[in-house]
Amino acid sequence: MSANSASISASSAGPKKSLKTFGDDIWKNKTAKINAELFTLTYGSIVSQLCTDFERDFKKVNSQLYAMGYNIGVRLIEDFLARTALPRCDSLAQTSEVISKCAFKIFLNVTPQVGNWSNNKDAFSLFLDENPLSDFVELPMDAAKELWYSNILCGVLRGALEMVQMDCDVWFVNDVLRGGQSTEMRVKLNRIMKDEIPAGED
Amino acid sequence: MPCYFAIIGARDNPIYEAEFTSQQLNSFPPELKELNPFILHASLDIIEDLQWQVNPQSINSGGGSGGFLRSRHSNNNGNCYLGKIDHFYGLAITGYLSYGNMKFVMIHSSNGNGSTPAQVEDGSVKNFYQEVHELFVKTLMNPFYKLNDPITSPVFDSKVRTLARRYLLK
Amino acid sequence: MPLSFGKYMNLAFHLDSALEPVPTEISRKIVSSAVSPVVTVTSTAALDEHIQESYGVDSLYMLLRYFGDCVSDRDQAEAGPELGTESGKNRNRARSNSLFQRQASHYLRFTRPLTDLIDVRESRDLLFDYHSLEVFLEKYLSLVEANTTSDTPHTLLQHSIYHKFFTTAISSTAHLSPYESFNHPVASLLALDISKDQGYEEARDLLIAFKNMHNTTPHFPAFINVNDILPVFLLCYEEDSREQFELCQSLSKTIKKQLFVESLLLPCWGQNINAGASPSRILHQPIMSSLEETMYSMMKESTITLPLSLINYIYDRLTNLIDELMIPFMKRKISFWDESILQPRKSIFPNSKFFRKLISKTPAPPPASDSATHSQQGVAYFAATSNEFILRKLADWSFMLSDFKNAYSTYELLSKDFEQRPEYLASCLEWCALSVLMGAQSIVTVKMIKNDIDPLINRALKSYELSARKAKEKNAQLKSSALAKKAEKDSKSATLPSTVSDEHSGQELDEGVSSAPSQSAQSYETRCMLLAAELFLSLSDTWTATPYAIKYLETILDECTLGSLSEIVLWERLAYCYALRVDPRVKGKLPSLDGQSGQNEKRGEESEGSDESDDETQKYDHKISQNCMASLGLARRRKSTLFRLIATKKWTESKQWRQAYWGLKDIEVVYSELDFANRDDLILEKLRKKIHEHEPLPQKLNTSFIST
């Protein structure tokens, strides 16, 4: 990987700018869109119903959302790769860029900021300035201490990354709904699963 | 002039109440304070009457063709404003109906202790109601808010009070 | 026991009938009885003494006054609840019950001799005095409280209390008004005591005194004409004595031949009529008597017992008086006036010479104040012989005889004549509107209300205001001259009774100056509005009629001075008006507001049951839950309950705990389901606490009480 890294980082530096425009382009032209409020309300009713069903046990709700997101993620990655036909990412850094500028853009039309890299570059944070899942939401008092409202996103990321042989942990660090300054998701790479044959170029 | 505002749900229960006063104006006298929710409750009869009239007189002319809530213009909710619907001994009561049968009612009192009947400036009151309506819709969008529940969010409360300061207390 | 008119009005004493529904047409009956013909009673001193010895009443008048009101009902002959064994006998007599009859019944009012009335007559033209009305109401309420418990069914009783207040406010037997002739006597009973050997001489003296009243009495008002009063002799004798009976008969024949007056024979004493003879009845107070007399009798608190046979005799004679003497007399006079004055005016050629030959009297003078005479204070009154006043009498008497069409047309005619005289005009317009409401037209339509009745009443009210203003100005002039006079001499503080209005606070005036003209006009205004409101409520289309009633009641509360208890009674009436205000299309479907809480609970269970069948976990809070969806917006239940709440609060302020408790009971029906109403800081909770300090908790378990 290191042998290719220079060339690829060189090639990735070039399309870095175009990654953004690439993502924009796909969003504009190649995706069907739905009404944002419908989407928000649907997700909201899912969360609210889960809370009722689990009788306000928010730990269970969180894990259920995570499990749902995982199921979505393992399927969503196929759709993503089909749409974008992006090559394999060389580094976690590139992965983070793709996630932020392409994935989120195409599916949610938001571009979270990547930042807060750990010292050994195996974890980063995504800062969501706007979160279409949680428009108009105000958490009730008991939920505000335990519930991660957009936890489904964590599950999605984990499921998707797992399908491309990256075993990551994704969790929420902070949420404006819970009174924090920003909405922050943390992605930590545990290991690359080397057993599979790498897809794409050989 | 001090105002007492309430949003009343489908079961005659107020889901939100607030009293708007300012430094220069006195608040309601105590015997009125304890009577205010009942006064609003009594005006519900008239709101229902206006709401379900088959051939309403045009309350807001130039709004729609079929009268109340039957306007062809979908993007202005001017037809929801009912204007001054009732009076009660020097107090004026205005009303506004949301599309989901939520009744926004307010008591306006005059400054002079009820000796002069309260004046209602339709323009600013209507704006107030429309903005509160928008805030209410946003509250409804919250998946954790069930219809007819009391609105306890302090954010809502402070926003409504800001609106009141802007439109009502001059 | 079925309800009768007398029982309803005195319901506080007949609580066994308290569960009956509110009688229909009661307002019209009350109005008829309020303006029923007045009969004065003059008796000789010997007769009065004799009666006092036998029965313990001061005079014949005091005895007869119990027999007024609805004569055909024979109320005083009704057995009280304790005399159960007598009821068998009573069933034999055909008892009429005026409450359930459609045609007008015959009412009477008795009053003191005319000379007495004139003596006592104050220079103020005050119809009623709100202060004494207030005191009366207070006494009556304490009487009610003494006779009832918290559990007594109170709905009908509260209506009855209001009607008591109503009748006392609108009617007076002692007040002689120059502007209308309702209180002017129509007949006069001149009574002689045959058993004390009074005979033809005394009869003749009485009659002469009667006929010369206008000469002999000082301050005899110009607007009363003695010729328009029917004198009737009442010869009282002992039943057992055959010779007295024959004496009476020959005397009555003589009187008829020589004095041209009819007589009635009344056996007042005898074996089976003696006091103490059984069966006997305790008399209860008449309904229509003046405020002063009612107050007096309430404070006296002694009861009078009369033997049943005497009661029946008296009723027989009175029926005789009404049917055979008085009503024909009135009808004759009416037709006479009609022919002589009204027809010529209505005819096409009033000034033609041909017609003038046929009519002996001069045709109607042009409507000017020529025929008006002036009283002491310089206020102009129409004399009793003036055409205008005769026409007024014609209209009033037609009203008394329930001939409302005639009354209406005459009032209308008169209102054109009285354009310049607001005091007379106001009264004309008022009664014009009232005759429509009483039945001049067979059906009262909405258009009629809007176009005829309401404007008439508004005009009447304006005229009253105008006359009040005029009188005030005049009074100011007189006051300034009186003050000037007073400044010269030392004023002895001749304080007038405490009803002097606020404008003259602290100032003492000589009696010559009428002191509260605005108040007198106001009492007429109040009466007008009270009457109008009540009659509007009796119309069948309550949806359109009640707003007018509400408007008038609110005007009274806003503008007229009334005592605090009177105001509360009016607040309760307002609540009742709103409760009545139901669109006729849904009238049958709504439960009434009369405290049927049991029915309410049943309703609640039914609706919950249907919801549960849909989805067990979800409760559809936002659905409109109504038993009758079609009735949304077409009733005013909530408003009615609000007014009831206010009335209850005021009752507690005036410390009328029984009334407040009943009000609270009725309010609970509506407010108990609502959470917000039971919050601690709101008035309902405070009222509950206060009332429960004074009254025991209600029998039914109500969770909202326990939750606090």
Side-chain angles (χ1 to χ4, degrees):
Chain A
M1 197 160 87
S2 54
N4 292 331
S5 65
S7 59
I8 295 197
S9 55
S11 62
S12 66
K16 200 173 191 176
K17 229 192 220 171
S18 67
L19 198 58
K20 186 170 181 307
T21 49
F22 179 65
D24 287 346
D25 185 48
I26 298 200
W27 160 253
K28 271 194 214 126
N29 299 327
K30 283 208 193 157
T31 53
K33 301 173 186 56
I34 69 160
N35 183 302
E37 281 173 2
L38 175 63
F39 180 62
T40 310
L41 287 174
T42 309
Y43 183 67
S45 65
I46 292 177
V47 178
S48 156
Q49 191 63 42
L50 281 177
C51 292
T52 317
D53 288 344
F54 284 125
E55 285 157 11
R56 318 296 281 187
D57 182 352
F58 296 108
K59 286 198 175 42
K60 280 197 195 158
V61 177
N62 285 338
S63 44
Q64 184 71 17
L65 282 173
Y66 195 84
M68 287 164 68
Y70 182 82
N71 285 328
I72 295 178
V74 302
R75 301 169 195 10
L76 198 63
I77 186 71
E78 297 288 342
D79 183 67
F80 176 71
L81 288 175
R83 253 182 243 272
T84 57
L86 280 172
R88 173 182 287 286
C89 297
D90 296 323
S91 64
L92 190 61
Q94 196 182 15
T95 312
S96 70
E97 291 296 311
V98 168
I99 292 178
S100 150
K101 293 193 169 54
C102 291
F104 268 88
K105 178 71 184 174
I106 292 175
F107 291 115
L108 291 177
N109 197 24
V110 293
T111 319
Q113 299 278 55
V114 177
N116 214 359
W117 285 96
S118 67
N119 288 340
N120 48 356
K121 301 283 177 201
D122 66 346
F124 63 93
S125 285
L126 288 165
F127 293 93
L128 287 147
D129 295 325
E130 46 165 332
N131 183 358
L133 292 177
S134 63
D135 277 342
F136 307 121
V137 175
E138 243 181 74
L139 290 180
M141 294 307 298
D142 52 349
K145 298 192 188 66
E146 292 186 3
L147 179 68
W148 294 113
Y149 187 80
S150 314
N151 214 25
I152 205 171
L153 295 175
C154 301
V156 171
L157 278 178
R158 171 166 171 93
L161 289 172
E162 193 169 291
M163 293 307 280
V164 285
Q165 281 83 49
M166 296 172 81
D167 174 11
C168 299
D169 283 334
V170 190
W171 70 98
F172 263 98
V173 180
N174 222 344
D175 196 351
V176 286
L177 291 180
R178 283 170 65 149
Q181 299 286 56
S182 58
T183 308
E184 183 185 340
M185 275 196 300
R186 194 122 186 100
V187 181
K188 180 171 183 307
L189 177 64
N190 293 334
R191 62 189 177 93
I192 307 264
M193 296 180 273
K194 276 199 180 130
D195 297 331
E196 288 76 11
I197 303 170
E201 61 189 47
D202 196 352
Chain B
M1 35 188 198
C3 301
Y4 178 78
F5 173 69
I7 304 181
I8 304 195
R11 301 239 166 188
D12 285 4
N13 54 322
I15 56 180
Y16 176 73
E17 297 172 77
E19 188 182 320
F20 306 133
T21 59
S22 70
Q23 256 76 15
Q24 306 99 356
L25 309 168
N26 332 322
S27 79
F28 285 103
E31 59 269 3
L32 255 189
K33 253 201 193 145
E34 29 183 46
L35 204 51
N36 277 341
F38 293 102
I39 300 178
L40 287 181
H41 174 75
S43 61
L44 289 179
D45 276 332
I46 305 193
I47 295 187
E48 279 181 357
D49 197 0
L50 289 171
Q51 185 181 11
W52 298 107
Q53 259 176 15
V54 178
N55 293 317
Q57 274 77 40
S58 58
I59 300 164
N60 292 320
S61 48
S65 57
F68 176 65
L69 283 188
R70 293 184 188 139
S71 159
R72 294 223 179 94
H73 309 280
S74 57
N75 51 353
N76 87 321
N77 48 358
N79 266 15
C80 304
Y81 179 58
L82 297 171
K84 174 165 170 258
I85 53 174
D86 199 9
H87 66 276
F88 185 78
Y89 295 104
L91 304 172
I93 301 170
T94 52
Y96 180 97
L97 260 183
S98 86
Y99 298 107
N101 196 27
M102 291 291 149
K103 302 166 181 107
F104 297 25
V105 272
M106 181 151 53
I107 300 182
H108 305 256
S109 84
S110 64
N111 227 348
N113 273 354
S115 50
T116 53
Q119 302 296 329
V120 170
E121 293 172 13
D122 268 340
S124 46
V125 172
K126 184 168 166 181
N127 288 334
F128 172 76
Y129 274 124
Q130 281 173 327
E131 304 229 2
V132 175
H133 190 190
E134 277 179 48
L135 283 176
F136 177 71
V137 170
K138 290 199 184 111
T139 312
L140 275 185
M141 300 281 276
N142 181 4
F144 293 105
Y145 175 75
K146 211 169 58 148
L147 198 57
N148 259 344
D149 275 352
I151 302 180
T152 51
S153 146
V155 176
F156 182 82
D157 187 44
S158 62
K159 284 196 185 147
V160 171
R161 284 185 192 277
T162 321
L163 285 175
R165 244 172 284 139
R166 181 150 40 117
Y167 286 114
L168 295 177
L169 305 173
K170 286 193 203 145
Chain C
M1 254 196 270
L3 207 52
S4 73
F5 180 67
K7 269 216 212 126
Y8 170 72
M9 294 305 286
N10 282 330
L11 197 63
F13 307 106
H14 295 276
L15 284 168
D16 44 335
S17 309
L19 281 171
E20 306 267 337
V22 180
T24 51
E25 306 259 320
I26 183 76
S27 336
R28 298 222 176 115
K29 296 208 157 45
I30 294 181
V31 174
S32 292
S33 98
V35 296
S36 49
V38 174
V39 179
T40 64
V41 179
T42 316
S43 51
T44 55
L47 177 59
D48 285 341
E49 270 177 37
H50 197 175
I51 297 241
Q52 190 168 32
E53 286 166 15
S54 328
Y55 299 114
V57 281
D58 288 337
S59 67
L60 180 66
Y61 160 65
M62 294 299 284
L63 180 68
L64 280 182
R65 64 181 275 272
Y66 288 99
F67 294 92
D69 307 320
C70 184
V71 174
S72 43
D73 262 0
R74 297 199 175 217
D75 236 5
Q76 305 283 8
E78 279 267 333
E82 64 273 3
L83 299 172
T85 52
E86 311 291 344
S87 53
K89 273 194 221 165
N90 294 339
R91 259 187 250 127
N92 296 335
R93 196 182 277 282
R95 182 75 36 86
S96 77
N97 193 340
S98 63
L99 266 191
F100 300 114
Q101 285 174 347
R102 299 221 80 215
Q103 74 268 29
S105 338
H106 297 309
Y107 300 93
L108 268 191
R109 293 181 285 162
F110 284 107
T111 185
R112 304 201 300 280
L114 199 49
T115 43
D116 287 353
L117 290 181
I118 296 173
D119 277 341
V120 181
R121 186 171 168 249
E122 293 150 357
S123 47
R124 290 179 274 149
D125 297 328
L126 203 56
L127 177 62
F128 71 86
D129 166 20
Y130 74 87
H131 182 73
S132 20
L133 185 62
E134 182 73 8
V135 176
F136 161 72
L137 199 53
E138 205 178 321
K139 279 233 119 208
Y140 189 69
L141 285 173
S142 54
L143 220 140
V144 167
E145 188 141 353
N147 278 8
T148 61
T149 70
S150 340
D151 287 333
T152 320
H154 56 270
T155 331
L156 191 61
L157 186 55
Q158 285 183 314
H159 283 293
S160 168
I161 294 175
Y162 176 73
H163 278 134
K164 193 96 188 155
F165 163 77
F166 178 66
T167 50
T168 321
I170 63 172
S171 151
S172 162
T173 50
H175 167 72
L176 297 169
S177 160
Y179 309 123
E180 41 186 50
S181 69
F182 287 113
N183 291 341
H184 300 182
V186 171
S188 180
L189 283 177
L190 307 168
L192 289 179
D193 190 352
I194 301 298
S195 64
K196 302 281 179 179
D197 294 328
Q198 292 185 330
Y200 182 73
E201 296 295 320
E202 284 82 6
R204 207 186 53 186
D205 291 339
L206 273 180
L207 189 61
I208 292 179
F210 172 72
K211 292 276 182 192
N212 279 335
M213 236 193 293
H214 55 281
N215 288 333
T216 50
T217 321
H219 305 313
F220 191 84
F223 46 82
I224 298 192
N225 185 357
V226 178
N227 291 329
D228 287 338
I229 308 181
L230 173 71
V232 176
F233 278 106
L234 188 67
L235 308 174
C236 301
Y237 66 96
E238 271 180 38
E239 194 184 22
D240 307 324
S241 156
R242 181 80 200 160
E243 50 178 90
Q244 283 192 22
F245 179 63
E246 287 173 2
L247 202 62
C248 284
Q249 291 207 310
S250 61
L251 185 58
S252 73
K253 286 204 192 86
T254 325
I255 291 179
K256 185 148 182 197
K257 219 165 52 167
Q258 310 222 320
L259 299 174
F260 307 109
V261 176
E262 297 282 345
S263 346
L264 294 170
L265 275 59
L266 179 64
C268 279
W269 307 274
Q271 276 281 329
N272 58 340
I273 318 183
N274 268 335
S278 59
S280 60
R281 299 281 179 267
I282 303 176
L283 299 178
H284 47 256
Q285 288 299 325
I287 302 169
M288 286 297 166
S289 68
S290 69
L291 189 52
E292 296 86 13
E293 287 175 355
T294 320
M295 294 285 294
Y296 174 68
S297 49
M298 269 173 88
M299 293 200 244
K300 222 170 63 157
E301 286 183 15
S302 63
T303 51
I304 303 188
T305 321
L306 280 189
L308 181 58
S309 39
L310 178 59
I311 295 180
N312 283 328
Y313 284 145
I314 296 183
Y315 273 127
D316 288 338
R317 301 303 178 271
L318 287 178
T319 322
N320 213 357
L321 169 70
I322 296 177
D323 289 335
E324 291 171 28
L325 297 177
M326 199 172 71
I327 292 190
F329 168 71
M330 288 172 79
K331 287 200 173 136
R332 278 199 310 269
K333 281 266 171 181
I334 289 180
S335 54
F336 173 63
W337 290 331
D338 196 39
E339 282 167 16
S340 54
I341 305 182
L342 205 51
Q343 292 306 329
R345 291 185 59 176
K346 285 187 188 168
S347 71
I348 315 173
F349 307 107
N351 291 321
S352 124
K353 285 190 193 152
F354 179 67
F355 279 84
R356 271 205 205 171
K357 272 192 247 165
L358 294 180
I359 305 167
S360 49
K361 273 202 157 86
T362 54
S369 44
D370 301 331
S371 40
T373 59
H374 293 262
S375 78
Q376 257 201 334
Q377 294 93 25
V379 189
Y381 295 136
F382 279 104
T385 45
S386 66
N387 281 344
E388 286 85 358
F389 204 74
I390 292 184
L391 281 181
R392 174 74 212 228
K393 251 193 168 157
L394 197 160
D396 286 345
W397 285 21
S398 311
F399 197 97
M400 285 188 213
L401 293 177
S402 304
D403 183 5
F404 298 117
K405 270 200 171 62
N406 212 3
Y408 172 72
S409 49
T410 318
Y411 282 125
E412 213 181 345
L413 191 72
L414 272 178
S415 57
K416 298 194 189 76
D417 284 348
F418 282 142
E419 292 280 324
Q420 305 302 321
R421 319 294 303 282
E423 309 92 4
Y424 286 92
L425 179 63
S427 185
C428 264
L429 293 171
E430 175 189 345
W431 287 97
C432 193
L434 292 177
S435 29
V436 180
L437 283 171
M438 290 287 285
Q441 314 279 14
S442 35
I443 309 179
V444 180
T445 63
V446 178
K447 221 161 111 192
M448 220 189 294
I449 297 181
K450 217 164 50 150
N451 297 338
D452 298 328
I453 306 183
D454 200 36
L456 277 173
I457 298 186
N458 285 332
R459 276 176 67 197
L461 294 175
K462 284 208 188 71
S463 312
Y464 276 125
E465 281 176 29
L466 185 59
S467 66
R469 245 181 291 143
K470 271 176 66 175
K472 234 197 258 185
E473 292 164 13
K474 187 161 243 162
N475 195 38
Q477 288 177 5
L478 288 169
K479 202 168 67 166
S480 51
S481 61
L483 278 180
K485 266 193 272 173
K486 227 171 61 162
E488 304 167 2
K489 54 179 178 176
D490 267 336
S491 61
K492 344 162 194 158
S493 43
T495 49
L496 290 171
S498 55
T499 56
V500 171
S501 73
D502 325 70
E503 292 118 341
H504 310 273
S505 54
Q507 282 191 335
E508 293 127 2
L509 303 167
D510 285 338
E511 269 188 310
V513 182
S514 99
S515 54
S518 62
Q519 220 179 29
S520 82
Q522 208 183 58
S523 64
Y524 280 104
E525 265 184 85
T526 316
R527 176 192 75 175
C528 173
M529 287 193 275
L530 272 178
L531 271 171
E534 193 61 26
L535 285 178
F536 270 119
L537 282 184
S538 72
L539 293 178
S540 58
D541 183 8
T542 50
W543 182 253
T544 42
T546 35
Y548 292 97
I550 293 172
K551 182 175 80 164
Y552 294 125
L553 286 176
E554 286 188 342
T555 320
I556 299 180
L557 284 174
D558 282 339
E559 296 181 9
C560 303
T561 24
L562 279 179
S564 58
L565 287 180
S566 323
E567 284 192 352
I568 308 180
V569 169
L570 285 178
W571 280 97
E572 293 234 340
R573 200 68 185 166
L574 265 178
Y576 174 65
C577 289
Y578 276 113
L580 268 189
R581 182 153 196 239
V582 177
D583 195 296
R585 292 170 282 185
V586 296
K587 207 171 198 170
K589 301 183 194 159
L590 276 181
S592 71
L593 264 183
D594 291 338
Q596 289 163 358
S597 53
Q599 219 183 57
N600 234 8
E601 283 158 4
K602 219 182 0 148
R603 233 181 352 122
E605 282 166 26
E606 278 173 22
S607 58
E608 271 176 42
S610 59
D611 269 351
E612 275 178 25
S613 61
D614 287 337
D615 188 325
E616 274 146 41
T617 50
Q618 289 269 7
K619 248 188 96 186
Y620 293 112
D621 266 350
H622 49 276
K623 283 193 177 169
I624 301 178
S625 68
Q626 271 267 5
N627 229 10
C628 171
M629 281 278 254
S631 71
L632 268 184
L634 295 176
R636 293 285 182 265
R637 288 186 73 200
R638 299 183 183 100
K639 251 218 146 128
S640 160
T641 322
L642 172 69
F643 278 90
R644 208 68 208 280
L645 176 66
I646 296 179
T648 309
K649 174 174 149 212
K650 294 193 183 237
W651 282 128
T652 51
E653 284 166 14
S654 309
K655 304 211 182 345
Q656 294 287 341
W657 302 112
R658 184 63 49 73
Q659 301 290 330
Y661 179 73
W662 286 336
L664 187 64
K665 229 177 171 183
D666 287 341
I667 300 175
E668 296 286 9
V669 174
V670 174
Y671 283 147
S672 57
E673 324 159 357
L674 300 174
D675 285 330
F676 85 91
N678 304 324
R679 289 207 300 246
D680 273 343
D681 56 339
L682 289 182
I683 189 163
L684 189 56
E685 199 52 43
K686 293 189 185 158
L687 282 180
R688 277 206 199 107
K689 290 204 185 90
K690 248 200 198 157
I691 292 177
H692 287 133
E693 292 169 20
H694 297 260
E695 290 278 343
L697 276 172
Q699 304 295 63
K700 62 176 167 78
L701 265 185
N702 196 333
T703 50
S704 49
F705 289 135
I706 301 177
S707 66
T708 54

